[in-house]
Amino acid sequence: MGVLFVIKGNLIFPQVHHTKHNERFMPKRIFVTRPIPDQGLKLLKKKRYEVDIYPKDQAIPHKELLKRLKAKRYDALLSILTDKIDEAVFKAAGDQLNVVANFAVGFNNIDLEAAKRHHVIVTNTPGPEINESVAEHVIALMFALAHRIVETDDYARAGLYKGWGPQLLLGTDITGKTLGIVGMGNIGMQLAHRMHDGFNMKIVYTSLEPNMEAEQKYGAKHMSLTQLLKTADIVSLHVPLLESTHHLIGKKELALMKNTAFLINTSRGPVVDEAALVQALKQKSIGGAGLDVYEFEPRIHPTLKKLKNVITTPHTASATVATRQAMSRRAAENIIAALSNKKPANQIV
Ligand code: GLV
């Protein structure tokens, strides 16, 4: 609601004006659920939006989020991937909420059906920066496993290195081996490019549709998951978490893998049945695992932390300064577009 002054002759009449989005009188209000890198926040402030940021550098408790959304009407919510954006959130935010901009590529934390029911736009932050950072992280995990980097670093730091040995801590090579990419999307493509062109790897992949670009540029072979698991020396997961991908890799699938093969997961934890993975690793029915995500995040299965053939990173595959700034800008640009009645570049619903 705002007040407009209408001039009639030489008299001025105040008029109360009711609109949902009163452009002229009410600054748009944005709630950011956690402090994020500043470039996107600067863009929002430049638009003279009122930006409220949850001040603690930790995930906002769901109850607290609901409380804040009820206490003040917001036009946009900038959420992070650990915020559960469900029916209760949309209800608490009320009619004013126009857009939820998730600071992530994944959006399994958002109830898209509820968003549609409440006519709220949902966006994410894909882009070349994040594809490259995640691909690099996958490669770091692959090489760290193959060359036993974490294990050998621990060994050296513990003072166990007493002199060069011809059979000391032998690892494996990656050049020329077969990489299985489960889900040949943007990140899968970046990985295929680097590993095919840089390390002469053979690329095999699964995806809903064959990816002709991957086939032409990187000689990638489309195959069933079963075939891929039997063939690949390294299996890297790049699928979104959906009902159909929950536990995509379980006991049966792990049993198909070579006993020297590595599994890399930088997608979402529940894509892998973690208990089955722990068993496979303990029994050495696979060679090792490089994990950035966990089924019950932030909990990491205690056995995973003990096994030498496992490398664990704390969901940091996209955590570079440049990429997190780019994600901040993208989330802000999506909000600005939605609040200017334009289609955001990364609209999901
Ligand atoms: C990170 O996991 C993301 O989805 O951006």
Side-chain angles (χ1 to χ4, degrees):
M1 190 179 84
V3 182
L4 243 169
F5 292 93
V6 176
I7 303 172
K8 287 186 182 161
N10 54 2
L11 297 175
I12 299 175
F13 297 90
Q15 276 203 347
V16 175
H17 193 68
H18 297 270
T19 59
K20 183 177 170 189
H21 299 295
N22 190 331
E23 295 266 344
R24 208 177 304 178
F25 299 106
M26 293 265 286
K28 303 285 188 197
R29 289 168 165 174
I30 323 295
F31 185 62
V32 182
T33 63
R34 185 164 180 168
I36 58 170
D38 63 352
Q39 289 186 3
L41 301 174
K42 283 187 182 151
L43 292 179
L44 296 174
K45 287 178 187 160
K46 213 164 131 196
K47 292 294 285 183
R48 297 182 187 278
Y49 294 163
E50 197 179 304
V51 181
D52 292 341
I53 305 171
Y54 183 62
K56 297 185 194 166
D57 192 17
Q58 60 189 50
I60 186 169
H62 197 250
K63 266 194 184 158
E64 176 71 23
L65 177 60
L66 298 183
K67 197 173 113 195
R68 286 180 184 247
L69 293 176
K70 279 181 194 153
K72 194 164 164 180
R73 302 288 79 179
Y74 288 100
D75 299 278
L77 179 62
L78 197 160
S79 54
I80 59 161
L81 62 87
T82 48
D83 299 327
K84 194 167 176 224
I85 308 297
D86 55 6
E87 174 67 25
V89 167
F90 291 108
K91 263 202 187 130
D95 278 355
Q96 189 76 19
L97 187 68
N98 189 313
V99 54
V100 173
N102 212 34
F103 180 87
V105 173
F107 45 84
N108 52 294
N109 58 312
I110 302 178
D111 181 343
L112 297 182
E113 290 309 312
K116 283 196 238 169
R117 278 197 300 278
H118 289 267
H119 307 289
V120 175
I121 292 169
V122 176
T123 65
N124 66 342
T125 55
E129 321 78 14
I130 193 165
N131 300 336
E132 286 158 17
S133 294
V134 176
E136 284 190 10
H137 197 88
V138 171
I139 294 166
L141 290 173
M142 281 166 48
F143 279 96
L145 280 169
H147 287 262
R148 301 172 66 174
I149 296 297
V150 175
E151 195 186 342
T152 52
D153 178 69
D154 284 347
Y155 178 90
R157 282 169 197 261
L160 298 173
Y161 180 46
K162 304 289 181 206
W164 185 85
Q167 301 197 78
L168 181 65
L169 293 161
L170 304 185
T172 54
D173 296 305
I174 281 185
T175 302
K177 297 264 170 72
T178 300
L179 172 61
I181 299 179
V182 179
M184 187 61 95
N186 295 326
I187 297 172
M189 283 293 278
Q190 290 298 325
L191 189 60
H193 161 49
R194 285 160 175 74
M195 300 317 292
H196 175 265
D197 294 355
F199 294 92
N200 203 23
M201 285 193 93
K202 295 175 205 61
I203 310 293
V204 298
Y205 73 103
T206 66
S207 67
L208 296 177
E209 300 286 332
N211 183 324
M212 294 323 288
E213 193 185 343
E215 305 207 355
Q216 276 151 18
K217 286 189 173 164
Y218 315 124
K221 285 204 179 74
H222 188 242
M223 53 179 65
S224 67
L225 181 62
T226 300
Q227 201 54 37
L228 179 146
L229 293 168
K230 286 182 184 169
T231 311
D233 297 300
I234 299 177
V235 176
S236 190
L237 306 178
H238 299 284
V239 291
L241 176 59
L242 306 167
E243 255 176 70
S244 57
T245 58
H246 182 263
H247 284 191
L248 181 69
I249 305 296
K251 187 174 173 193
K252 189 171 120 249
E253 290 72 24
L254 290 161
L256 295 172
M257 289 175 65
K258 298 180 186 177
N259 60 10
T260 49
F262 299 133
L263 178 71
I264 312 282
N265 190 10
T266 54
S267 62
R268 285 292 182 266
V271 171
V272 176
D273 176 346
E274 206 164 85
L277 175 63
V278 166
Q279 274 313 105
L281 287 162
K282 274 196 342 199
Q283 292 163 356
K284 296 203 165 56
S285 76
I286 67 169
L291 305 171
D292 188 49
V293 289
Y294 307 89
E295 185 166 4
F296 304 105
E297 216 165 306
R299 178 181 179 267
I300 301 180
H301 194 294
T303 308
L304 291 176
K305 290 191 273 188
K306 288 192 197 126
L307 294 171
K308 287 195 190 309
N309 54 348
V310 176
I311 295 180
T312 56
T313 54
H315 206 148
T316 46
S318 71
T320 68
V321 175
T323 288
R324 291 288 164 85
Q325 283 289 16
M327 290 166 69
S328 170
R329 289 197 304 276
R330 270 174 207 284
E333 283 160 2
N334 286 326
I335 289 175
I336 292 167
L339 299 187
S340 316
N341 294 318
K342 294 190 186 123
K343 189 174 160 44
N346 312 117
Q347 182 167 349
I348 298 158
V349 296

